[in-house]
Each structure stands twice: as structure tokens, then as C-alpha cells.
Amino acid sequence: MAERTRRIKPSRYISVDIEADGPIPGPYSMLSLGAAVAGTQDVDGFTAADPEQQTFYRELRPISEEFVPEALAVSGLDRERLRAEGAEPAVALAEFTDWVREVGAGAQPVMCGYPASYDWTFLYWYLIRFTGVSPFGHSGCLDMKTLCATKSGLPLRAVAKGTMPRHLLSNRRHTHHALDDAIEQAELLANLMNWPGPHASAPVPD
């Protein structure tokens, strides 16, 4: 059994943040995509990475005329500029797939987000729509909010960054720039992965 456990492929956690101009992909557009390698988990535990060392960022051309002004205002991105300067989604998502496969070499890449549901919905839809495949498979997704709820023993809806122990949070600002926020969330993941939870026994002093 021990030898079989040793053969389990490690997970390479990749923090992803997207900015979009509406609530769902298709009618609305993903306008930017940021990602940062957060760390690796194997049978011996989690090892954090420097999230600034391996990163990816693209701004994308909108795919429709529809947008929600309030959603667009969150990122501060200019749809007209992106119409002229943004990357074609098929090109950007192919480049992202190549990057994930490169940084995920020797491991299974896992997308992680806070919360993952919104970012994963856009990311997976865009990957399948524009490349036909996801380097994360259909379920390689970890939600940091669920991870925190599980470790803290709280209901999911009781978990928010404002109520988390301060030592779990990154010292970086949440700027709504996709790469900035992916790096910030990579640090949150590393802290959560190494956190024993609030009810862990305190070490006995020597």
C-alpha cells in the first residue's frame, strides 16, 4: 500500500483569477485572465511556490456586444480598447493551455480560486469553446472558500475574507487586476493548506 501511495501523482495548484463583463460566459465576455503557480501537494504534504515566479496574464477581445456596466466597472477594463488590442480568445486560451502544461509538468494541474465557481465557469467554458480541451480536465478545480470552511468547521456561507483569521490572508491588496489577484490568492491558498485549523492542539512547550 505504501508503494502504491508513493505512485500517486502530485497536484500542481494554479491560482486563477478572471475579470468579466457579466455573470455568465457566452452572452458575456471574459476580458482578462491571470494565473500564478501556488504550490505542489504530494503524499508528504504541501510545498508553497513563490507565486511571482511562474505567472500568466492576457487581456482578451470581447466575444459579444452585451455587457453589464456594473460588472465592467469592477475591473476598470476598456471594452473598446480590448476590441482593438485584446488577444483573440482562441490564441490566448491556447497559450494558457501550453503554459499550464509547462508549469504542471510531472504533476496534475489543479485550478484554484476564491471562490472558484465564477472563475472556473468562465475559464472552463472558454477552454472548451476555443481549444476543445481543458488542461485541468473537467473537475480539476479547488475552491478555497470550501477549503477554509472545512478546516474551520464553519458553514460555507459563514466564510468570508473579512472573517478569516488575519494570518491566513495575503498582505497584498485585492486590486481586481487578474494577475495581481491570482498572486494574492496563491498566497491565501498556501496559508490555508498549511493551516491546521482553529481547533488544532497547541504544541507543548519544551
Side-chain angles (χ1 to χ4, degrees):
M1 179 64 74
E3 181 58 32
R4 183 179 176 184
T5 300
R6 290 288 173 184
R7 292 200 300 267
I8 295 174
K9 211 168 189 181
S11 291
R12 182 76 29 78
Y13 291 115
I14 298 173
S15 173
V16 174
D17 186 81
I18 70 99
E19 298 297 329
D21 61 14
I24 58 172
Y28 303 102
S29 305
M30 178 167 71
L31 300 179
S32 63
L33 166 63
V37 175
T40 303
Q41 185 175 26
D42 58 21
V43 296
D44 295 318
F46 176 81
T47 303
D50 179 346
E52 293 186 327
Q53 289 303 304
Q54 294 177 297
T55 63
F56 181 93
Y57 181 72
R58 293 291 185 279
E59 294 181 353
L60 287 72
R61 181 182 59 78
I63 61 172
S64 81
E65 297 301 320
E66 297 184 56
F67 68 95
V68 177
E70 294 82 2
L72 184 61
V74 169
S75 68
L77 291 167
D78 184 337
R79 276 176 54 93
E80 292 308 310
R81 178 182 67 79
L82 293 178
R83 221 182 272 282
E85 300 176 5
E88 289 295 325
V91 173
L93 273 296
E95 291 173 341
F96 177 69
T97 297
D98 289 343
W99 179 81
V100 170
R101 288 175 174 158
E102 178 184 343
V103 300
Q108 292 179 317
V110 176
M111 176 271 189
C112 52
Y114 184 93
S117 51
Y118 181 76
D119 303 86
W120 175 256
T121 297
F122 272 90
L123 180 63
Y124 186 74
W125 189 94
Y126 263 72
L127 284 166
I128 299 303
R129 172 66 180 82
F130 292 107
T131 73
V133 67
S134 164
F136 305 104
H138 69 276
S139 62
C141 172
L142 184 148
D143 176 36
M144 288 183 241
K145 191 167 185 175
T146 302
L147 177 61
C148 185
T150 301
K151 286 206 167 190
S152 61
L154 293 173
L156 181 66
R157 297 303 292 270
V159 173
K161 286 184 179 178
T163 61
M164 284 183 186
R166 299 301 300 172
H167 69 273
L168 294 178
L169 301 177
S170 169
N171 291 324
R172 301 172 190 269
R173 290 177 54 244
H174 194 80
T175 65
H176 293 289
H177 181 286
L179 182 55
D180 289 349
D181 292 354
I183 292 172
E184 176 221 350
Q185 290 169 178
E187 293 183 342
L188 172 62
L189 176 74
N191 292 339
L192 282 169
M193 292 295 286
N194 290 317
W195 183 45
H199 307 302
S201 299
V204 177
D206 293 334

